[in-house]
Amino acid sequence: MSVSSTQVIPESTDVPRHVVIIMDGNGRWATRRFLPRTAGHVRGVQAVRRVLEGCGRKGVKYLTLFAFSSENWRRPQEEVSLLMRLFVQTLEKEVGKLDEQGVRLRVVGDLSAFEPKLQGLIKAAEQRTCANDRLHLTIAANYGGRWDILQATRHLLRDRPDLAQNPDAITESMLSDRLSMAWAPEPDLFIRTGGEQRVSNFLIWQLAYTEMYFTPTFWPDFDAASLEAAFTWYASRERRFGRTSEQLEKSN
Ligand code: IPE
Ligand code: IPE
Ligand code: MG
């Protein structure tokens, strides 16, 4: 990770550099309209486009969206299949546009669980957009924060078996450099739609000092104005990273 909020005090800016979103409430949005839950997921894709454009206009550099958690396999099989199909269709349809707009797309999570066609599409989309730098869009799919910490630990011990005999030599950055989003700065702003106020095993390591914004708005209804409200709230936060307000006032 570029700067660790627990090792160095990061610079605060009014516009968040990295926004992460739990896109929740698709099922309830649909149920309220007497539609199948899956209709909410289909509608949710439009909100992704709106939010991506809103972040682009605002100058957000990294946008990370939670699309499917490592626990979402527990859902009814038809819903899981629809989500996978939607993922494939969206990739097929949108990657060209993303590339034209200078978006670099990455997918993080345990991708080995996906069918080969989806894995191939993901790889192709990542390769096609790998030179882009205007906005880094990351989709977390079959992602779990605990999985991420575990896979980083396994990588570390594979790379440095000597550390097993010398655990005191393990540093924070040895682990954070091996997390699946090691290339991105820590999230500044976390948004969860749909009214629940929990992290649901999203980026648990990386959220150490992230500002947490919760809104009852269901994801398919989340629009440019909803995003702007989150940005306004963020700009009003005092990010202290352990210090006192008085210290901050003096340094400004
Ligand atoms: C989020 O919406 C989308 C996924 C988890 C894939 P939900 O499907 O969780 O919607 P609710 O929370 O049941 O309304
Ligand atoms: C979190 O939402 C995962 C995604 C939005 C992809 P869930 O709807 O699965 O979370 P819980 O089960 O309510 O905590
Ligand atoms: Mg939900």
Side-chain angles (χ1 to χ4, degrees), residues 1-250:
M1 222 172 289
S2 31
V3 176
S4 158
S5 56
T6 48
Q7 306 292 305
V8 180
I9 299 171
E11 197 195 328
S12 293
T13 49
D14 277 354
V15 175
R17 275 208 303 159
H18 186 177
V19 177
V20 304
I21 308 183
I22 298 190
M23 310 182 287
D24 197 22
N26 292 352
R28 281 164 288 158
W29 179 92
T31 306
R32 296 247 170 124
R33 286 164 178 76
F34 306 102
L35 296 168
R37 291 177 52 83
T38 47
H41 299 316
V42 172
R43 194 57 180 252
V45 177
Q46 295 174 18
V48 171
R49 170 66 43 215
R50 284 198 296 271
V51 164
L52 178 68
E53 280 164 11
C55 284
R57 276 196 300 275
K58 194 79 180 177
V60 170
K61 199 80 185 164
Y62 298 84
L63 172 64
T64 302
L65 304 174
F66 204 6
F68 192 86
S69 76
S70 44
E71 290 70 55
N72 285 145
W73 298 106
R74 297 169 180 165
R75 294 194 176 198
Q77 217 235 303
E78 315 84 72
E79 184 168 340
V80 172
S81 308
L82 179 282
L83 284 167
M84 294 301 149
R85 274 206 305 282
L86 202 57
F87 201 2
V88 169
Q89 282 168 9
T90 309
L91 275 177
E92 283 175 335
K93 190 161 161 257
E94 300 284 339
V95 169
K97 224 181 295 169
L98 292 176
D99 191 27
E100 276 167 28
Q101 291 171 333
V103 174
R104 176 162 187 181
L105 179 75
R106 292 180 180 95
V107 182
V108 294
D110 182 3
L111 305 186
S112 67
F114 294 137
E115 60 171 73
K117 179 178 177 184
L118 183 51
Q119 289 189 41
L121 278 170
I122 291 170
K123 204 182 259 175
E126 289 184 336
Q127 271 164 6
R128 178 166 174 181
T129 61
C130 72
N132 296 339
D133 185 46
R134 207 165 81 83
L135 193 149
H136 294 247
L137 172 64
T138 304
I139 307 294
N142 194 21
Y143 178 87
R146 291 186 180 179
W147 163 83
D148 203 359
I149 294 168
L150 264 178
Q151 68 78 26
T153 310
R154 289 181 184 133
H155 271 127
L156 176 58
L157 284 179
R158 235 175 262 137
D159 297 346
R160 293 280 312 273
D162 58 296
L163 291 172
Q165 310 309 319
N166 188 15
D168 290 343
I170 299 176
T171 62
E172 189 189 295
S173 67
M174 285 178 189
L175 266 185
S176 60
D177 287 349
R178 289 168 174 84
L179 290 171
S180 53
M181 293 191 65
W183 36 266
E186 288 181 23
D188 301 298
L189 172 61
F190 163 105
I191 299 173
R192 182 170 188 150
T193 62
E196 307 297 353
Q197 303 199 353
R198 53 179 173 247
V199 174
S200 299
N201 198 15
F202 198 20
L203 302 153
I204 50 179
W205 172 292
Q206 295 89 335
L207 292 173
Y209 270 104
T210 305
E211 299 296 330
M212 310 290 278
Y213 180 82
F214 297 95
T215 169
T217 305
F218 294 137
W219 177 249
D221 289 329
F222 196 81
D223 59 12
S226 323
L227 183 66
E228 202 49 56
F231 286 144
T232 303
W233 175 86
Y234 174 80
S236 76
R237 307 304 303 159
E238 182 181 64
R239 304 192 72 191
R240 292 192 286 275
F241 298 101
R243 295 162 298 171
T244 66
S245 292
E246 290 72 21
Q247 285 176 297
L248 284 177
E249 275 156 28
K250 258 187 223 148

